[in-house]
Amino acid sequence: MMHKTILKFVAGGLGLVAIAVGVLFLVQYVRYRVSPEYRTEQALKELERRYAEDTYGGSTPEETLQLFIDALKKGNVELASKYFVVEKQEKLAEDLTRINLKGLLDSAVNDLENAERGNDIDANNARFTVVNQKDEAITVINISRGTNGKWKILDF
């Protein structure tokens, strides 16, 4: 009889320890899932997925720039924005829409068609200088080769 009581006591104690360990693991899991580190990891995974699925861009910096210009000539700012790096596409679509609404898209296209390739930064990064009719440099376009081999516009 005493043996059964001790056995019940030990089993109950082990059960409580198992529950406590389970609760601790659950608390740690929940704490991790709401942590900034977890959100950053998830955002990075999403960005990597978007880059892997992104098929827009040329096989050379010049081709990417020409595809961008061609989309702008057609007034398709949504398509034009897709030639930028993934994380900047949404903002560039908004900016290009504002430029289009102001009637400045044709002027921007004319300037972009005068872009001259400068010295490359390295094998994966190219730079173009855009000059206006007065032969003044008005902007620099940086284009980089992505992980999928497509060239994407970084900024301009």
Side-chain angles (χ1 to χ4, degrees), residues 41-78:
E41 286 176 15
Q42 295 307 308
L44 183 58
K45 285 179 184 177
E46 174 62 17
L47 190 58
E48 288 172 347
R49 182 194 63 76
R50 288 177 61 198
Y51 268 102
E53 294 174 357
D54 186 13
T55 59
Y56 294 91
S59 56
T60 66
E62 291 84 2
E63 183 182 5
T64 295
L65 184 58
Q66 191 58 55
L67 290 167
F68 174 65
I69 292 169
D70 291 345
L72 290 178
K73 282 181 181 177
K74 295 175 186 170
N76 191 341
V77 296
E78 192 66 37

Side-chain angles (χ1 to χ4, degrees), residues 77-78 90-103 105:
V77 296
E78 192 66 37
E90 188 175 319
K91 177 164 180 358
L92 261 296
E94 293 169 5
D95 292 347
L96 291 171
T97 298
R98 278 194 293 279
I99 290 169
N100 193 22
L101 291 174
K102 291 179 181 179
L105 204 55

